[in-house]
Amino acid sequence: STASSSRARTRTDLFDLMAQHADEEHRQGEERAKSLKKLKMKEYCSELDAQVDQKRQRKVAAEAEKSHWHQVIQKQVEQFEQDLQAKSEKKANELERMKGIAAEAYQSLRQRKLDGENEFQRSCQDLREVLAHEEKVKQITETKQSEKQLSRIKDAQAEFEETSCRKAQRKAAEAEECQRLPAPAR
């Protein structure tokens, strides 16, 4: 009876050890997955920061070019007004030419601004799509992990039930064996 009790305790201890080992493997797997996700997110954020920085640099360059063109046009207009006072006929023709240049420069700057805004909108949409995709991947990963854990639990439960059944059969066999033995003489 003591040996049987010791064997039962050992089997229970082994089952507990197996369950602890499975729990530890699961925990480590989750930690690895979290670490990998953090690393990917860090890389992704770095890439986004680089993209934002590039866009910011392009915007600064565009603003500088716009300011430059504005200054150029402003100087040309001032020069034109001075020349107009001296030579009204000649300057009237010059005014028309300068208006054409200014309109082209303004239209060019306006088109560049529109192109920049469109590019920004496309980048924002791309970012939203990437984030939505990552969320979907996260949900799929979590579902798969949950299914894996449920499968492990079912396997452990089936093993436990099988072990319990074998114990019950063994006890029944021992009881039957005890009944077959002759009763001790008193």
Side-chain angles (χ1 to χ4, degrees), residues 22-40 141-142 145 149 152:
D23 288 345
E24 181 63 21
E25 279 184 351
H26 178 70
R27 186 189 61 72
Q28 288 176 356
E30 285 183 342
E31 286 178 4
R32 284 191 298 273
K34 284 179 185 177
S35 296
L36 182 60
K37 184 177 177 182
K38 283 181 183 178
L39 179 62
K40 285 182 180 179
T141 302
E142 287 175 357
Q145 286 176 350
Q149 188 175 13
R152 285 182 191 149

Side-chain angles (χ1 to χ4, degrees), residues 72-73 76-77 80 93-103:
V72 167
I73 292 169
Q76 289 175 348
V77 169
F80 173 74
N93 292 336
E94 185 69 8
L95 176 62
E96 291 303 315
R97 186 179 76 79
M98 292 306 293
K99 283 182 180 179
I101 290 171

